[in-house]
Amino acid sequence: MTQPRRSVVIVGGTSGIGLAVAKRFASAGDRVTVWGRSQDKVAKINGSDDYDIAAEVVDVSNANEVEKAAGKLIARYATIDVLVNAAGYTKPVTTEMSYKEAVATWNELIATNLTGSFLVTQATAKHITRPGGRIIMVGSVAAFTGSMLPGGQGYAASKAGLHGLTFALARELGPQGITVNEVVPGFIADTGITSAYSPDMIEKLSSLATVGRAGNVDDVANAIIYLASPEAGFINAEVHHINGGWLPGR
């Protein structure tokens, strides 16, 4: 039996994990919209004949932009079946930096990596399918390790904040038939965040996984696709580690 087409929104979906997930949903026939900050990446997706994905430029740290973009989404879809909050980036914050620079960078990271997920969910929650809707956050192993190198304060803290947001939303929306879960990738070698790593660093980080390799974007996409499926309807308020055994027991 053919499943009906779902409306899927992926925030941070113009590259890396988000784009891999978007392609998987689109290949299944779902109606997919991705948001990203890069005009070039948005234009490339909209101009592609390889997949049917609509892309829009949205800065999720900007409450007004999020509200406006959400309004356009609802006008197009009426309801949203799956929301994936995958926006995120990293910049170093260390105690050696100047106070002014550290505070500015911290605020930037929190605004995008944590507040952005709150803003998007707040702007769309009333229109997520009941029952059967899915909200999936994309965190990071850095929330548990504090990052491998000095400088992870802002990134680790912003991603750790997603745990609390996930749990609170799951308690509120679960009784309405909407599940809220988080996936926590370990070292994923083929993303923009890791593209600047040296070969030695990639080898070192890959060795931390007990399966003996680095992860890839499809490893994370597989988990998200499952959590968005009808079969995952009894999974709620969970943090799912996709790290190849980097942190046994989690």
Side-chain angles (χ1 to χ4, degrees), residues 20-249:
V21 175
K23 290 178 180 179
R24 291 283 295 278
F25 279 115
S27 68
D30 293 318
R31 300 173 296 167
V32 181
T33 300
V34 299
W35 289 357
R37 289 195 293 191
S38 168
Q39 293 185 355
D40 290 342
K41 291 177 181 177
V42 166
K44 182 177 179 180
I45 291 171
N46 284 331
S48 175
D49 294 326
D50 296 332
Y51 36 79
D52 185 13
I53 298 173
E56 293 191 31
V57 176
V58 183
D59 178 357
V60 297
S61 69
N62 185 311
N64 291 331
E65 281 194 34
V66 169
E67 186 177 30
K68 181 178 179 181
K72 291 174 63 177
L73 271 177
I74 302 312
R76 182 187 311 147
Y77 290 152
T79 59
I80 297 169
D81 297 304
V82 181
L83 169 63
V84 179
N85 282 307
Y89 75 105
T90 185
K91 290 173 69 175
V93 178
T94 74
T95 56
E96 300 300 318
M97 296 169 61
S98 72
Y99 182 77
K100 182 177 181 180
E101 182 183 5
V103 169
T105 305
W106 169 277
N107 287 339
E108 290 175 16
L109 291 170
I110 297 296
T112 295
N113 298 350
L114 178 55
T115 304
S117 292
F118 162 74
L119 293 174
V120 173
T121 307
Q122 190 70 17
T124 59
K126 292 182 178 64
H127 305 281
I128 293 177
T129 304
R130 291 161 167 79
R134 302 284 187 264
I135 300 174
I136 301 162
M137 309 290 187
V138 178
S140 170
V141 70
F144 294 86
T145 65
S147 186
M148 289 298 296
L149 298 170
Q153 294 179 44
Y155 185 68
S158 65
K159 289 299 188 177
L162 285 178
H163 306 338
L165 180 60
T166 297
F167 301 152
L169 287 168
R171 283 195 174 277
E172 178 180 349
L173 300 177
Q176 301 174 39
I178 299 171
T179 65
V180 187
N181 292 286
E182 180 184 355
V183 297
V184 179
F187 177 58
I188 309 299
D190 51 345
T191 68
I193 288 179
T194 59
S195 61
Y197 288 10
S198 68
D200 287 345
M201 178 60 72
I202 290 175
E203 182 178 357
K204 179 179 180 180
L205 292 172
S206 299
S207 70
L208 295 172
T210 58
V211 298
R213 68 170 175 86
N216 58 61
V217 292
D218 284 329
D219 290 321
V220 185
N222 290 336
I224 292 174
I225 293 297
Y226 171 67
L227 289 172
S229 71
E231 290 76 14
F234 199 56
I235 300 174
N236 192 36
E238 290 293 336
V239 175
H240 302 264
H241 289 267
I242 319 296
N243 61 32
W246 183 343
L247 301 174

